[in-house]
Amino acid sequence: MSNKPETPAAQIEAEEFAKQAVQQYLNACRMSNRNQMGNYLMKLCSVAGVMMALAEGSEDAAQRLEATAAFIRRKMPDTPARMEPLQ
């Protein structure tokens, strides 16, 4: 057993962890229908944004969230996607 710390997760690994965490979170929220998903995901984004601001400062956190919003506007479809069950 080595005392060396593990290296930080690569971006692709972190993205997979994030997807798994979101799926677990939505399952834990016990949605009764898909129309509730936006509200639960907004709560998750809100909490993550506050945590980011605490970790890096409010200006950096706001810039990151604004860049994410701009990406969503440019790259994501205008209408909701047909989503498969999360479980």
Side-chain angles (χ1 to χ4, degrees):
M1 185 163 84
S2 172
N3 287 338
K4 281 180 142 181
E6 290 188 46
T7 59
Q11 288 298 315
I12 194 158
E13 186 181 20
E15 185 170 336
E16 285 304 313
F17 291 154
K19 288 177 185 177
Q20 291 171 12
V22 170
Q23 183 175 349
Q24 289 173 348
Y25 166 76
L26 288 173
N27 289 338
C29 286
R30 300 179 306 278
M31 291 181 292
S32 58
N33 65 64
R34 292 259 176 208
N35 296 333
Q36 298 167 327
M37 188 180 293
N39 288 335
Y40 286 122
L41 289 172
M42 189 63 238
K43 179 54 69 181
L44 184 61
C45 289
S46 176
V47 171
V50 168
M51 296 298 293
M52 192 178 346
L54 292 172
E56 299 189 356
S58 61
E59 186 59 32
D60 188 52
Q63 287 177 3
R64 288 172 181 257
L65 291 169
E66 288 163 357
T68 300
F71 171 83
I72 290 167
R73 281 189 192 100
R74 280 192 326 271
K75 300 288 185 177
M76 302 309 295
D78 291 337
T79 57
R82 180 171 173 230
M83 300 184 72
E84 299 300 321
L86 294 173
Q87 296 175 333

